Amino acid sequence: MAFDRRTFLGTSAATGAAVALAGAAGSPAAAATTADAGVRPPRTYAFTVMGTTDLHGNVFNWDYFTDKEFDDKAHNDVGLAKISTLVNRVRAEKGRCNTLLIDAGDTIQGTQLSYYYAKVDPITARRGPVHPMAQAMNAIGYDAAALGNHEFNYGIPVLRKFQEQCDFPLLGANALDAKSLQPAFPPYSMHRLRTPHGRDVKVAVLGLTNPGIAIWDKANVQGKMTFPGLEEQAAKYVPKLRSMGADVVIVSAHSGSSGTSSYGDQLPYVENAAGLVAEQVPGIDAILVGHAHTEIPEYRVKNKATGKDVVLSEPLKWGQRLTLLDFELTWAKGSWSVAKVSARVLNSNTVEEDPKIVRLLSDEHRKVVEYVNQVIGTSTQAMSSADGPVKDVPIIDLINHVQAETVKGALSGTEWASLPVLSQASCFSRTAAIPAGKVTLRDAAGLYPFENTLEARVLTGAQLKDYLEYSARYFVQTAPDAVVDPAKLTNAEGVPDYNYDAVYGLAYDIDIAQPKGSRITGLSFRGVPVDPQARFVLAVNNYRASGGGAFPHVPQAKQVWANSDEIRNTIISWVKAKGTVDPSQFASVDWRLTRAGVPVF
């Protein structure tokens, strides 16, 4: 079904190439030559599609975990309030009737603001609030948005309520009802732009989401929705959109451009397939890319069938950038055709927040700030995650201890109670910290910024060694006599911090002088070498258990327990129950980096 969200009225002066043409014909000589030759000047039209992606619940330039304005090493800013200012400027420059604004997904998860209105004061409650992201995006005037995988984190009812609250369509051509195999969301939207000459320009926006949803949010979507590959659905819908009279076809894809997947061979679909869609499906003019959290101002992919370039652009996450896709069209033989497409990004740190958005959501912001700053306990000492990627630090042990203790309690009295319980955790944030003294909810929540839930899976000693070898690929191979720079020791082959796991309950060394696959030495449990046949219970998050990161064995391992509550909430509840966090009760150095048996640190 097509969604005519807006019929644009009014006229506009042609821009871009049209300006250059008009300038050339503006001189007497040029005008006379054109008139003498009896040649009509070409009819042209230019418009701009603005795009965001991976907003992840960021309305304001605010970090709820640090309780201050967001900042990073590059001094980026975040949030829709900044994006709104950029959008207003582009519309003022080009004429609102010559612009569209779209998004590529991952909107309602990621900050404590979005969490609060999904869980604490949920939008699904009777007479519940309107989601802040819906309020902001409606006020800014979005025309369409693709579904992201994190849209499903809070369950389908929350997503449906958010959809209901949006004044624009949420698109997902490859989000299908599991029984009927019909689209569960609008596949596309159609928009008309009125031009100074000829008929209106019809712009189709096709929305594609990530097939990894079937793995990452299995508990929420299994038996309800299915997610075929992006290329398959694009090949189905692009010709249909062209037959419906679309002059321009844009894809908003919550899928990176690299052609890689983080879940191995568990699904026959590629996670980061935007580049493949551009290459394999003819008839697409441009793709707004999402999901990968990388900045790609402009990337051109040649379509195999047509030989034409498809322009891709991915703005940086959280509202740090706004993509501009500039289109130049020409009118000939009764139809519009795309003459040129280019892309660039604008930086949101160059503008102030839009006062309209600030006023609109100041009350919601204040409520969440009060919520995250409530004191839930005390700590006997300060803990930091700064060295977490390269050292066994107490703050990561805290996550693992809570997870292991939770699973042990859950398995008590069951047939699995006699098995040793281990736990995995990653350093999700290098700036997470627990202060000495009072501990607030935001301190505890900052350890675990994702909405992952906890499971228990049974693995053998041999499988755990494979798991650790795979995890250790994260470290750059470093010769025994080479100088060690901790800042350059991690993220080998682009492996992110959240895909490096430390396993709590085992002792082992990671020899970074060795090639990947041959790094784990001295693997032991309670001082005894691990028996390859021995069985252990691993407390593991649902992302990893479902195949996220493509770690071996865990997705196929027997599940003996699972919980629907977020690990973040489990940590908060644990701190509240204990009252005091004392690292001496749970922290120890059980893994270390070595080279030829010599500790690196």
Side-chain angles (χ1 to χ4, degrees):
M1 57 187 291
F3 281 72
D4 289 317
R5 294 302 306 159
R6 183 179 299 160
T7 300
F8 293 101
L9 303 176
T11 60
S12 65
T15 57
V19 170
L21 289 164
S27 67
T33 301
T34 302
D36 292 345
V39 178
R40 296 182 63 182
R43 295 180 178 181
T44 63
Y45 176 65
F47 71 96
T48 296
V49 176
M50 297 173 281
T52 55
T53 191
D54 296 278
L55 293 168
H56 283 288
N58 285 279
V59 172
F60 300 115
N61 188 45
W62 193 261
D63 186 338
Y64 291 97
F65 292 136
T66 62
D67 199 27
K68 59 185 180 182
E69 282 200 356
F70 175 88
D71 195 22
D72 61 13
K73 292 180 180 178
H75 300 300
N76 288 303
D77 288 346
V78 301
L80 277 170
K82 294 259 181 175
I83 289 294
S84 183
T85 302
L86 291 174
V87 168
N88 290 338
R89 290 188 177 185
V90 173
R91 286 172 174 163
E93 175 191 346
K94 297 180 179 294
R96 180 165 183 145
C97 58
N98 301 316
T99 64
L100 294 172
L101 175 59
I102 64 176
D103 183 80
D106 275 6
T107 303
I108 60 172
Q109 175 277 335
T111 64
Q112 285 294 288
L113 180 73
S114 54
Y115 177 83
Y116 186 90
Y117 288 98
K119 292 289 189 177
V120 182
D121 185 11
I123 61 174
T124 49
R126 187 169 178 265
R127 297 182 180 175
V130 177
H131 200 289
M133 294 301 286
Q135 290 192 59
M137 295 174 81
N138 289 342
I140 295 169
Y142 273 78
D143 294 287
L147 292 165
N149 55 284
H150 284 288
E151 259 65 83
F152 294 84
N153 284 174
Y154 297 117
I156 293 174
V158 170
L159 175 54
R160 288 299 190 193
K161 189 63 178 181
F162 176 71
Q163 179 188 26
E164 177 187 313
Q165 293 177 343
C166 291
D167 294 340
F168 52 91
L170 299 183
L171 308 177
N174 61 328
L176 309 181
D177 180 89
K179 294 179 180 179
S180 69
L181 297 183
Q182 295 301 305
F185 292 85
Y188 57 85
S189 57
M190 194 75 78
H191 311 266
R192 290 180 178 271
L193 304 180
R194 181 154 293 180
T195 71
H197 9 252
R199 60 173 172 77
D200 296 347
V201 169
K202 293 180 70 175
V203 181
V205 179
L206 177 67
L208 297 171
T209 192
N210 205 290
I213 295 166
I215 288 177
W216 303 322
D217 270 299
K218 181 179 179 180
N220 290 327
V221 301
Q222 188 174 33
K224 300 173 183 177
M225 292 187 191
T226 186
F227 303 87
L230 285 83
E231 307 100 302
E232 170 191 326
Q233 293 303 102
K236 173 182 177 180
Y237 278 101
V238 171
K240 179 178 181 178
L241 294 171
R242 290 294 184 183
S243 70
M244 293 169 60
D247 302 295
V248 180
V249 174
I250 300 166
V251 173
S252 183
H254 193 75
S255 180
S257 61
S258 65
T260 61
S261 290
S262 67
Y263 47 77
D265 59 0
Q266 294 179 74
L267 282 181
Y269 311 120
V270 177
E271 175 184 350
N272 295 304
L276 297 175
V277 171
E279 181 182 77
Q280 297 176 12
V281 181
I284 298 170
D285 296 298
I287 301 179
L288 177 67
V289 178
H291 183 62
H293 289 202
T294 56
E295 181 176 347
I296 306 174
E298 182 183 275
Y299 175 49
R300 293 178 178 269
V301 174
K302 194 172 293 296
N303 184 267
K304 286 184 175 179
T306 65
K308 294 181 178 180
D309 282 353
V310 180
V311 174
L312 286 70
S313 182
E314 181 176 4
L316 201 56
K317 64 184 186 294
W318 305 347
Q320 295 179 43
R321 303 288 186 273
L322 176 70
T323 276
L324 301 187
L325 290 164
D326 293 313
F327 294 83
E328 298 177 11
L329 278 64
T330 56
W331 174 263
K333 298 180 180 179
S335 66
W336 289 106
S337 61
V338 176
K340 182 181 178 182
V341 185
S342 60
R344 55 195 169 103
V345 295
L346 302 180
N347 194 329
S348 65
N349 73 4
T350 61
V351 296
E352 298 298 317
E353 293 185 327
D354 184 347
K356 181 178 77 172
I357 305 301
V358 173
R359 288 193 301 269
L360 179 68
L361 292 165
S362 60
D363 286 346
E364 287 83 349
H365 174 69
R366 176 185 51 78
K367 286 180 183 178
V368 176
V369 169
E370 291 176 356
Y371 164 73
V372 300
N373 279 292
Q374 61 180 286
V375 175
I376 60 173
T378 61
S379 179
T380 61
Q381 68 183 64
M383 293 180 282
S384 169
S385 64
D387 292 331
V390 295
K391 295 180 182 178
D392 188 348
V393 295
I395 201 167
I396 306 300
D397 285 346
L398 172 59
I399 299 172
N400 272 320
H401 179 72
V402 171
Q403 292 181 163
E405 192 173 271
T406 301
V407 169
K408 284 178 185 176
L411 296 181
S412 178
T414 72
E415 62 180 297
W416 312 103
S418 62
L419 293 183
V421 177
L422 313 175
S423 178
Q424 63 77 224
S426 304
C427 182
F428 293 119
S429 168
R430 299 192 184 200
T431 59
I434 296 290
K438 294 180 179 179
V439 178
T440 64
L441 186 147
R442 66 178 172 84
D443 295 325
L447 302 184
Y448 219 106
F450 298 106
E451 270 71 37
N452 295 340
T453 57
L454 190 60
E455 297 188 17
R457 302 277 180 131
V458 177
L459 281 84
T460 67
Q463 290 174 329
L464 284 164
K465 187 172 187 297
D466 289 345
Y467 187 100
L468 290 169
E469 288 286 8
Y470 182 81
S471 184
R473 80 199 193 286
Y474 169 77
F475 297 104
V476 175
Q477 186 173 3
T478 309
D481 58 349
V483 175
V484 172
D485 180 356
K488 299 179 180 179
L489 204 55
T490 61
N491 307 106
E493 300 179 1
V495 175
D497 291 351
Y498 63 77
N499 274 341
Y500 168 64
D501 287 355
V503 173
Y504 178 81
L506 298 177
Y508 55 95
D509 289 346
I510 303 173
D511 191 337
I512 59 173
Q514 301 303 315
K516 62 180 181 180
S518 303
R519 291 179 171 176
I520 303 300
T521 63
L523 182 63
S524 64
F525 174 70
R526 295 177 181 170
V528 178
V530 169
D531 180 349
Q533 302 303 315
R535 295 194 303 167
F536 298 83
V537 173
L538 181 67
V540 59
N541 69 56
N542 68 303
Y543 172 78
R544 190 71 78 236
S546 297
F551 277 64
H553 306 305
V554 177
Q556 297 80 29
K558 182 174 182 59
Q559 182 195 82
V560 294
W561 178 81
N563 187 12
S564 62
D565 200 13
E566 288 91 352
I567 293 169
R568 175 167 58 205
N569 283 345
T570 303
I571 296 171
I572 291 168
S573 297
W574 186 91
V575 174
K576 285 182 176 179
K578 295 292 183 182
T580 301
V581 179
D582 183 357
S584 69
Q585 301 299 308
F586 57 78
S588 60
V589 177
D590 295 317
W591 66 269
R592 60 182 183 172
L593 301 183
T594 64
R595 291 183 295 179
V598 178
V600 174
F601 301 108

